[in-house]
Amino acid sequence: MTAMTALRAHRRGGPEVLVVERAPIPVPAPGEVLIEVHAAAITFDELTWDETWTRDGLDRTPTIPSHEVSGIVAVAASDVTDIAVGDEVYGLIPFDRDGAAAEYVAVPANCLAARPTTCSHLQSAALPLAGLTAWQALVDHAAVQPGERVLVHGGAGGVGALTIQLAARLGADVTTTVRSDVADLMTELGATTVIDTRTEQFDRLDAEYDVVIDTVGGQTLERSFAILRPGGRLVTLSAPPPPGKAEAFEVIATFFIVTPNHSQLTQLTELVDAAGMHIAIAGAFPLEDGRAAFESGQRPHRAAGKTVLIVRD
């Protein structure tokens, strides 16, 4: 068999350019494995990223979206020694490569890890991007310590929810902001305080935190500098911090873009299997309805969590 079913785009655009069609099965290069895809999670914004459409300034269409994958290794390159055919894996595919909205995908082995055994492929596919983002924000960039006060903006989102859970497991005292009636869920995830920004201000005069993780941006980011203690750390995921703002408030501000990491995926697997983590699924669509899956991001009042493509049962 040399062909597979895939969701592809032949020109730059939104969901309207996506088509389900036959495409060549990729051949893994040295250091790569071919995955039989069972589930693939989508990020609605990925159709706006330059990496989706170009590499090194060159057009790379037709392109396949969806960069979070869970599946089974079908072929491993001869120089791959730590992953074998038949292994169940999950991971984050670099954004300038074809994604997993297809029956097969070739992925660098160092972007993968053994998937959690306590989860379905559906849940495993929804974990890599949000889980790695939370890990890299809290551990790599904020260096959160036990007992520190951490504010997570946007706790009801996929990244926010996992950031709350991981921060609590790191021993932090977690506060989160939300714009919905999910206070009970946020508490279950590990937040000690939940601020509904529809009725409360998160930057009241007595507010002070060691760390702020911002998944919202805009005015939320702007107002967050004033609630950090001197020397506190702000990690923003939406856009770089305004120039000079960190220096003016005597804090450290960092912006980063998540990257695949085998070791961190392995640690996430251990966390999920040992203690369980809530992985929110907003919706699941068969691969054949991939365009509708991307269009669902435009619906009002969309449920929190990841939208996942089911490629194989």
Side-chain angles (χ1 to χ4, degrees), residues 93-130:
I93 303 167
F95 302 131
D96 63 351
R97 296 176 60 103
D98 276 343
E103 291 180 303
Y104 294 91
V105 62
V107 185
N110 60 8
C111 297
L112 303 165
R115 76 177 189 88
T117 59
T118 56
C119 292
S120 64
H121 280 289
L122 190 79
Q123 293 169 308
S124 295
L127 179 59
L129 189 145

Side-chain angles (χ1 to χ4, degrees), residues 14 17 57-58 66 72 95 99 116 129 164 172 191 199 204 208 210 215 241 247 253 258 279 297 299 303 312:
V17 303
L58 300 176
S66 184
I72 299 174
F95 302 131
L129 189 145
I164 291 169
T199 58
R204 61 186 188 274
E208 186 179 69
D210 300 291
T215 73
E247 292 80 4
V258 65
I279 304 169
R299 296 175 185 168
R312 288 177 173 85

